[in-house]
Amino acid sequence: MTSKLTTLLFSLINLTSAYTPLSDASLSLIPSGSSDFDPLSGALLSPILIPRVPGTPGSETAQHHFVNFFRTHLPDWTVQWHNSTATTPATGNKQVPFRNLIFRRDPPWATEGDVARLTLVAHYDSLYKPEGFIGAIDSAVPCALLLHVARSVEEALRRKWVGMGEGDGLGEEVGVQVVLLDGEEAWVTWTDEDSLYGARKGCWDGILTSNRALAESWAGEGNGAGTFSTQMESISLFVLLDLLGSANPTIPSYFAKTHWAYEHMATAERRLRKLGLLETKEAKPFLPDLQKKSYQFTMGYVLDDHVPFMERGVDVLHVIPTPFPPVWHTMDDDGAHLDISTIRDWAKIVTTFVAEWMDLDGLLPPLASAEKPNKGGHEKEEL
Ligand SMILES: *[C@@H]1O[C@H](CO)[C@@H](O)[C@H](O)[C@H]1NC(C)=O
Ligand SMILES: [Zn+2]
């Protein structure tokens, strides 16, 4: 009884994440991804700059890229598939497969039902029409960014958790997951039915169900039912990246409810800029709404993969530019129209946000030599 209560109290404290800003020294250790975001040869991005229509070979290539990346470089991250099928207005009676991928890193001692997870999300499918559409900003780049972020915090997470055994870890049940969603795009025109196939359809309900079953079996084994009865509740913040990779983005703060999280990311950007650690030198920040007041929020937002989650009460930080970049949903949304400096700056901004959320100050390893300034990693690439 007592110990259970203690666990519960500690866990409740976790719900307000102990967000700790990185020191200037730690900020200088945040990697940019260097040439890995090169559209022609970059290890993270170039393999997925292909059409990725659900149920086609390009979609499978992207899935393999993600799974192989985690298996090879981040073996401590668990991999889960969430598979479903649906008909679409463009494909008649055919059941089109949709496959969401979830890569998860929890504290090693933690019981699954107790972990609050920072949830980093992008969609990897591309538009069905126009034929040959690539979707570089929509959303190959956001997916590649999330692989980079996971890789960039792994060593610090390991260092942090290695010293925290069972018991010491109380109050630290904070994990992180990367969710790569399929079927965001409409096949004909955007409607509630023709969109968000991956985020909306049975697959996520599937996890809810299986998690309940899991929680019940744990209860039966005397592990307690956990703090969170569903995967949905265990999402501490749903950070959705979309349409990133074009130059000069402007990302508004969309939601008063999560403006505090926006402020954290915008502050990270401001500090990185001030320290000369970002490559883009425009006067305008990517995240300009640092001073937005509660009465300035409108009801307007962009329909995207967060909607089914937000409707179920999940807190959302939507990192998507308004206005959309001019290449949006055109054949020009390809590798040639990306701005690598902007992508690498996003890589640092999002990695910093995650490192601060996960409390990694002082734990980041030295930069790889390719990342060091003046060693070939930071020149502006000609596209
Ligand atoms: C989901 O689909 C993938 C790719 O087709 C397959 O490898 C995996 O085994 C499937 N998983 C489940 C749980 O059905
Ligand atoms: Zn799109």
Side-chain angles (χ1 to χ4, degrees):
M1 178 68 194
T2 328
S3 78
K4 189 106 180 256
L5 186 63
T6 316
T7 309
L8 183 66
L9 286 174
F10 274 109
S11 301
L12 287 174
I13 289 162
N14 289 336
L15 292 178
T16 55
S17 157
Y19 190 99
T20 317
L22 295 183
S23 64
D24 289 358
S26 288
L27 286 179
S28 71
L29 297 176
I30 296 291
S32 71
S34 183
S35 59
D36 282 353
F37 291 112
D38 187 304
L40 296 177
S41 58
L44 292 180
L45 181 59
S46 67
I48 54 172
L49 289 179
I50 52 173
R52 303 172 305 280
V53 176
T56 66
S59 171
E60 278 178 38
T61 300
Q63 293 159 13
H64 290 154
H65 176 63
F66 304 137
V67 171
N68 289 340
F69 176 84
F70 279 90
R71 289 231 177 95
T72 310
H73 301 287
L74 300 168
D76 288 331
W77 292 59
T78 61
V79 182
Q80 285 180 39
W81 292 83
H82 290 278
N83 302 344
S84 62
T85 60
T87 56
T88 82
T91 48
N93 291 331
K94 190 181 155 220
Q95 289 290 331
V96 177
F98 295 98
R99 298 200 170 342
N100 300 331
L101 278 161
I102 299 175
F103 303 97
R104 185 175 283 176
R105 186 76 158 105
D106 287 346
W109 68 82
T111 309
E112 174 163 348
D114 287 333
V115 182
R117 296 189 191 90
L118 177 60
T119 300
L120 308 168
V121 189
H123 77 87
Y124 72 88
D125 63 303
S126 63
L127 275 179
Y128 175 60
K129 289 258 163 71
E131 204 175 318
F133 175 84
I134 301 283
I137 63 167
D138 185 14
S139 265
V141 168
C143 290
L145 284 169
L146 294 183
L147 304 187
H148 169 78
V149 169
R151 174 178 69 179
S152 304
V153 297
E154 168 58 22
E155 175 60 17
L157 283 175
R158 198 192 56 76
R159 289 181 183 183
K160 173 179 149 171
W161 286 336
V162 87
M164 298 176 157
E166 187 104 32
D168 301 308
L170 276 179
E172 289 284 350
E173 258 80 1
V174 177
V176 57
Q177 61 187 346
V178 169
V179 178
L180 301 178
L181 291 171
D182 200 1
E184 186 265 350
E185 302 284 8
W187 291 64
V188 179
T189 36
W190 188 287
T191 62
D192 285 355
E193 281 302 301
D194 185 17
S195 65
L196 308 183
Y197 289 90
R200 192 164 47 80
K201 295 284 177 181
C203 28
W204 202 270
D205 297 335
I207 333 188
L208 294 181
T209 318
S210 63
N211 186 49
R212 266 194 219 109
L214 200 58
E216 275 164 26
S217 80
W218 281 337
E221 288 160 17
N223 282 330
T227 311
F228 306 111
S229 53
T230 68
Q231 299 275 349
M232 201 69 82
E233 286 173 29
S234 72
I235 299 173
S236 48
L237 182 69
F238 187 100
V239 182
L240 177 60
L241 309 186
D242 204 354
L243 305 186
L244 303 181
S246 295
N248 305 312
T250 299
I251 283 67
S253 180
Y254 293 96
F255 306 116
K257 192 181 176 208
T258 53
H259 186 61
W260 59 273
Y262 180 97
E263 285 176 320
H264 283 319
M265 194 179 280
T267 302
E269 181 196 7
R270 178 185 280 196
R271 291 185 60 217
L272 287 162
R273 266 190 208 292
K274 220 169 162 187
L275 291 166
L277 294 167
L278 298 185
E279 290 176 48
T280 56
K281 301 298 177 202
E282 294 77 20
K284 193 173 59 66
F286 297 176
L287 300 145
D289 280 353
L290 203 44
Q291 307 302 333
K292 194 164 180 172
K293 301 283 177 285
S294 53
Y295 59 82
Q296 294 174 306
F297 285 88
T298 63
M299 296 302 283
Y301 61 87
V302 182
L303 295 179
D304 207 343
D305 279 316
H306 61 299
V307 172
F309 294 84
M310 206 166 70
E311 283 171 349
R312 291 171 170 86
V314 173
D315 281 349
V316 172
L317 177 61
H318 197 191
V319 185
I320 187 171
T322 295
F324 291 173
V327 298
W328 175 69
H329 283 194
T330 74
M331 290 302 280
D332 281 346
D333 184 8
D334 58 12
H337 291 83
L338 293 172
D339 186 71
I340 289 225
S341 297
T342 300
I343 296 173
R344 288 199 287 242
D345 285 354
W346 276 122
K348 285 197 177 184
I349 293 165
V350 180
T351 301
T352 300
F353 177 82
V354 174
E356 295 188 336
W357 188 285
M358 298 304 292
D359 209 359
L360 301 180
D361 191 37
L363 295 165
L364 292 152
L367 286 175
S369 56
E371 289 275 351
K372 299 229 169 80
N374 309 320
K375 287 229 176 124
H378 283 233
E379 283 102 58
K380 287 234 177 195
E381 245 99 315
E382 295 296 332
L383 293 181

